[in-house]
């Protein structure tokens, strides 16, 4: 039959506790909010998993890196930095030309 993984932090936590560890076997989380990633990392760590976090060195990831057992932060010089936020966030695809003038 078709296997459906639980969705949502409470359902994942309940599934791991009551059914099996299949949600713990998912090793990559992308395009998730930092809060959701931190919650999933917490579930993994509650179940004695060692968590490695690899990602952008920009500001939203600081707390996620701190929570992980091992963290690798990447900052590439070729990424343009906004003069307003000094590179604390990534440029968005399809930026307006006026925004492009703020990049250094």
């Amino acid at each position: 039959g078709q296997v459906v993984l639980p969705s949502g932090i409470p359902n994942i936590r309940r599934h791991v506790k009551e059914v099996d560890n299949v949600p713990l076997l998912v090793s990559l989380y992308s395009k998730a909010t930092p809060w959701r990633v931190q919650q999933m990392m917490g579930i993994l760590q509650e179940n004695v998993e060692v968590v490695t976090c690899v990602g952008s060195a920009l500001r939203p990831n600081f707390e996620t890196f701190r929570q992980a057992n091992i963290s690798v932060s990447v900052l590439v010089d070729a990424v343009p930095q906004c003069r307003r936020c000094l590179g604390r966030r990534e440029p968005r695809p399809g930026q307006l030309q006026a925004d492009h003038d703020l990049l250094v």
Side-chain angles (χ1 to χ4, degrees):
Q2 185 177 2
V3 177
V4 178
L5 288 174
S7 177
I9 300 302
N11 293 333
I12 292 170
R13 186 171 267 121
R14 187 177 323 107
H15 184 95
V16 169
K17 186 176 182 178
E18 298 172 3
V19 180
D20 60 27
N21 72 338
V22 171
L24 300 179
L25 303 178
V26 177
S27 60
L28 176 66
Y29 299 95
S30 65
K31 296 190 179 185
T33 64
W35 181 85
R36 289 197 190 282
V37 171
Q38 291 167 12
Q39 293 298 307
M40 280 307 303
M41 288 170 55
I43 292 172
L44 289 163
Q45 290 169 326
E46 288 167 11
N47 289 277
V48 198
E49 297 288 334
V50 174
V51 175
T52 301
C53 182
V54 178
S56 169
L58 300 177
R59 190 172 190 71
N61 293 327
F62 292 167
E63 290 303 317
T64 306
F65 288 149
R66 184 176 292 137
Q67 180 179 339
N69 299 95
I70 302 167
S71 296
V72 178
S73 174
V74 179
L75 179 61
V76 180
D77 286 335
V79 175
Q81 293 182 351
C82 173
R83 289 185 185 143
R84 276 188 237 157
C85 70
L86 300 174
R88 290 186 299 260
R89 61 187 165 143
E90 296 179 24
R92 295 189 177 113
Q95 278 184 315
L96 299 173
Q97 185 60 35
D99 289 342
H100 181 70
D101 293 338
L102 292 172
L103 300 177
V104 286

